[in-house]
Amino acid sequence: MDFVLRGDICYSERPERLTTVPGGYVVCADGVCAGVFDTLPERYAALPLIDESGRLVMPGLCDLHVHAPQFAYRGLGMDLELLEWLATRAFPEESKYADLDYAGLAYDLFVDAMRKSATTRLSCFATLHVPATLLLTEKLEKSGLRGFVGKVSMDRNAPEFLCECSAERGAKDCEKWLREASDRFIQFRPAVTPRFIPACSDELCRQLANLAAEYGAPVQSHLSENLEEIKLVRTLCPDAQSYADAYDRLGMLGPRTVMAHAVYPEDEEIELLKTRGVTVAHCPASNMNIRSGIAPVRKLLRAGVRVGLGSDVAGGQTIDLFRAVTDAVQASKLYWRLVDKNDLALTLSEAFYMATKGGGAFFGRVGSFEPGYEMDLIVLDDAGLPHPQALSVEERAQRAMYLSGECAVTRKFVAGQPIEL
Amino acid sequence: MDFVLRGDICYSERPERLTTVPGGYVVCADGVCAGVFDTLPERYAALPLIDESGRLVMPGLCDLHVHAPQFAYRGLGMDLELLEWLATRAFPEESKYADLDYAGLAYDLFVDAMRKSATTRLSCFATLHVPATLLLTEKLEKSGLRGFVGKVSMDRNAPEFLCECSAERGAKDCEKWLREASDRFIQFRPAVTPRFIPACSDELCRQLANLAAEYGAPVQSHLSENLEEIKLVRTLCPDAQSYADAYDRLGMLGPRTVMAHAVYPEDEEIELLKTRGVTVAHCPASNMNIRSGIAPVRKLLRAGVRVGLGSDVAGGQTIDLFRAVTDAVQASKLYWRLVDKNDLALTLSEAFYMATKGGGAFFGRVGSFEPGYEMDLIVLDDAGLPHPQALSVEERAQRAMYLSGECAVTRKFVAGQPIEL
């Protein structure tokens, strides 16, 4: 379906500033953006016009890191720290996904919420269960959203009920997942998903890296999130120069790898992420909630590392990625104030860029309204945020991001296809 | 109106834990709580029953620090720091309140939002304009909420259009405000409101302190928010031992004083706040947004200082005080991680206490369901947060606080009076 959509348009071409076009036109042809215009060019006059005058029109947001099974317990147990939280909340809950009935119920809630959110693309973790992960992917595929899903792999340091016992078994299950998912799904593609080094043996990681290469699958995992975890990795991988190097030696880092967190990256680690073209999923809410700290995003950006945003539900409490945008700004202000005065705070524009074009790059030409970008679009009704003064489109966009809970997503397209809200 | 209300009750008696009563009864007699019961005592059986079974029932929240005129630009200009933000955003906007038409329009939006929120009590700043502040108070009085409003006083270091020129003029305007407001309003009482030391001469402060004593009015102001501001106070008050001492020498500190922020209190300052019985309004979102830092709440609590929460709109972007509750927890986790490992993070229960019984003490016996407390009550519909697993009332309350934007306040009483939502 080709169309023209009229509204108050706001998107990112580069991190430094928002591009806004009040009462502008965005044109979709063959699922791809043909451009944004002040006045509609004659050549598009025959296309159906969707009139969203007075509403905000933005690219869909890209959630680079979210745990689908954790959605069921978002906002719970937030007084705990990472390893304790994993043991008492995350792992017991994830074990329930051996039961397909429970998985269906819980994943319906997750997919339904994602569908109605401002997010159009996501890279998500499931659990280690192949059938439940296929069920999740089926539901996501039907939603119209796009992205990656990973069956989680773990073969050590996990409770028995969430462990694949051996590297061989883990690799075998992963291959089953990759094969079935590749066959059955088009919009959601399978991702190789080692939980993190502490839970994956070298042997499992090596086999997973081979499978990723063989199936052309992206890799997603966690990196340098928490000081205790980093210490553990140092013990488990005494030869590695850093946590990132441990992944690298096992063949896990490349331009199709997304690593969540990087809260405590060493200088060599940053260089390695840059060299390998890895994308970092910055998850500020999660880093606060489970007391990890604040990721040095400015340092990563300065070094040329690709950075996008993740909700990291349920370390983060909400899948609302606008919240991740403003959390990223707030966290970076505290980093500047409390940790390093050389690392200037992120601007809202930079954080919005990370949530759209920045993180979108992991999914292809996604996250902007520049010509050639896949037409991921959301319409935001900010009428619930009345104001006594005149506001520019940029100001309204700022406010909608800071108060996204008070705005409704009233329309959504992914790659030019309408999503039922 | 006396009544019984049935629902899933959650409130604070002490900071350490939430008290919950699933399917319990809270009884209101003469505007005051008669108690919470598992089964309804016979003696209340004749009272009208409001059945809110399945919904969460909590005390109303107490917002100790909010700028009513700044509501109009919440979420805007958040890339600036305090003094720059005051100069380019706060002061120009506040000057508009010389115009009663504009003030009426803007204050309608503020009061309307407050009325519908989870907040039942507030201590708020207006601007320096007496007529607009009376207008605001009239609107607040009609809303059914209760609390304090302050005409702001400023006689130095402010733009000419927002300055009272002399201490005499400032004191005179303040007295006019106190007299008229005391005469006209019952539920909202006037507060003496020096903006902060940098904007108030010693002479003005002394006269304001006298007026507060004469009219029995509380005092509200800002304290030790930002490092630049603190430096400025040191220059302006060379004899004072600290920022708090500067206020104290001018007669401003006492058990009816609420001071916002205290992000950088010195040890003597904490001792002084404790001795004088001052309440601190902790405003975590604002402290992040305008890059002030993180207030050492654990230190304040350990020293026995009274602490409540403030939204500090528009330093904070939202009047949703549940957000302040979870922001306080998140900020305290970062303080523990990045600043001082001796200061353990706040638990959600402690932060909720600050938003209810803790801050409520500034308004009287307010903020709990213990017998004798004024009946401030909200009903929260958390049906928008479905879950596949069984959750306790405490877990649902946790989730509702972390995801308050996804819950609706469906009923509200202040001192036993129903509020129209």
Side-chain angles (χ1 to χ4, degrees), chain A residues 134 141 176-186 188-190 215:
Chain A
L134 288 167
E141 181 92 357
K176 184 169 190 293
W177 150 247
L178 289 169
R179 204 174 43 238
E180 286 203 35
S182 302
D183 284 352
R184 288 175 53 189
F185 307 113
I186 296 167
F188 273 86
R189 305 301 293 169
Y215 283 83

Side-chain angles (χ1 to χ4, degrees), chain B residues 361-420:
Chain B
F362 193 68
F363 302 95
R365 280 175 71 77
V366 165
S368 185
F369 289 153
E370 290 161 86
Y373 274 71
E374 295 192 55
M375 181 49 76
D376 285 18
L377 177 157
I378 55 170
V379 176
L380 276 184
D381 183 0
D382 63 339
L385 298 172
H387 45 91
Q389 77 283 50
L391 293 181
S392 67
V393 171
E394 172 157 359
E395 286 173 317
R396 283 171 50 215
Q398 285 178 16
R399 172 170 286 182
M401 291 188 225
Y402 271 101
L403 296 165
S404 58
E406 299 177 44
C407 288
V409 176
T410 55
R411 200 185 276 275
K412 187 166 166 180
F413 290 89
V414 179
Q417 298 299 311
I419 304 296
E420 191 191 328

Side-chain angles (χ1 to χ4, degrees), chain A residues 395-408:
Chain A
E395 286 173 317
R396 284 171 50 216
Q398 285 178 17
R399 172 169 287 182
M401 291 188 225
Y402 271 100
L403 296 166
S404 58
E406 299 178 43
C407 289

Side-chain angles (χ1 to χ4, degrees), chain A residues 288 330 333-334, chain B residues 283-293 327 331:
Chain A
M288 287 189 265
Q330 290 182 332
K333 287 172 175 176
L334 290 178
Chain B
C283 307
S286 167
N287 297 338
M288 285 190 264
N289 284 331
I290 45 185
R291 279 182 271 178
S292 303
D327 282 344

